Amino acid sequence: MRLYPIALAVLLGLAACAPSQPTASTAPSKTVPSYYEARTDIGPNGEPVEIKAIKTAYLNERTMRTTVPYNGPEGAGTIVVDPYARVLYYVQDGGMAERYGVAVGAAGKNFAGEGTIARKATWPSWTPTANMVSSQPELYGPLKGGMKGGLDNPLGSRALYLYQNGRDTYYRIHGTLDPSSVGKATSAGCIRMFNQDIMDMFERVPNGTRVKVRTQAESVRYEGPVVESPEGYALPVNQAPVNEAAAFGASPVESAYRG
């Protein structure tokens, strides 16, 4: 049964989660890189599932997977999530990292510090908490028995679950059925990636991987202040057009974190 899938996913807002110098451009890429092309995956019931190509309109310097120098203190093999600059790093040897664009909701800023990937799931299912069902029965009541994994599920094709001291933090790094949101602030949820990117991470990241989620102060220290472009992407101030922060009626840091 396809429960008004797109509208439902938007309303849920991914609530499954708990409490170098060139000017950056958000212009669409001319072609889709091979790793963002359409592909066929194995679905939750063993059936073939078509993963659509990422549209060029959603690909730009802040959203596309790329290898960059890494200036943080974390060692190789660490995942570093920056919910304020809206990027995720998978730190590599030699002072480099794979950088991915992410979408961040309000819940994505409710956790900071360190944890460990203790669980991984393909085409993850999702069940609202009892409190969610009681507080918004009209929205979550139909899903109290759980929402099966699949193309209609807001967690997308894969999910990595962050634990701390052996306990689930309810902080997720996962795919999305709304690729247009990647790189932007969203109404709720944790850390979303393009399905192709979370699938890449899923294959490379073993259970036990250390995860560091930056605070706002750490984000400014390592990324510098950022502003939002008119399209909603977080741009470093030194790469944004002059006076862009003023266009939002806020200081650079404030304009980046209002979402």
Side-chain angles (χ1 to χ4, degrees), residues 71-89:
N71 65 348
E74 292 79 18
T78 306
I79 294 173
V80 178
V81 179
D82 191 322
Y84 301 94
R86 301 174 203 156
V87 291
L88 179 151
Y89 294 98

Side-chain angles (χ1 to χ4, degrees), residues 16-96:
C17 301
S20 294
Q21 297 187 359
T23 300
S25 171
T26 56
S29 304
K30 293 182 179 180
T31 59
V32 175
S34 59
Y35 45 87
Y36 287 136
E37 291 177 349
R39 65 180 70 177
T40 301
D41 191 39
I42 298 175
N45 300 310
E47 76 282 16
V49 174
E50 296 299 318
I51 306 292
K52 293 183 178 180
I54 305 300
K55 295 181 180 180
T56 56
Y58 306 150
L59 298 176
N60 58 63
E61 192 271 341
R62 296 299 294 176
T63 64
M64 293 176 64
R65 182 194 319 173
T66 184
T67 301
V68 298
Y70 184 69
N71 65 348
E74 292 79 18
T78 306
I79 294 173
V80 178
V81 179
D82 191 322
Y84 301 94
R86 301 174 203 156
V87 291
L88 179 151
Y89 294 98
Y90 187 31
V91 184
Q92 306 296 303
D93 291 318
M96 304 298 286

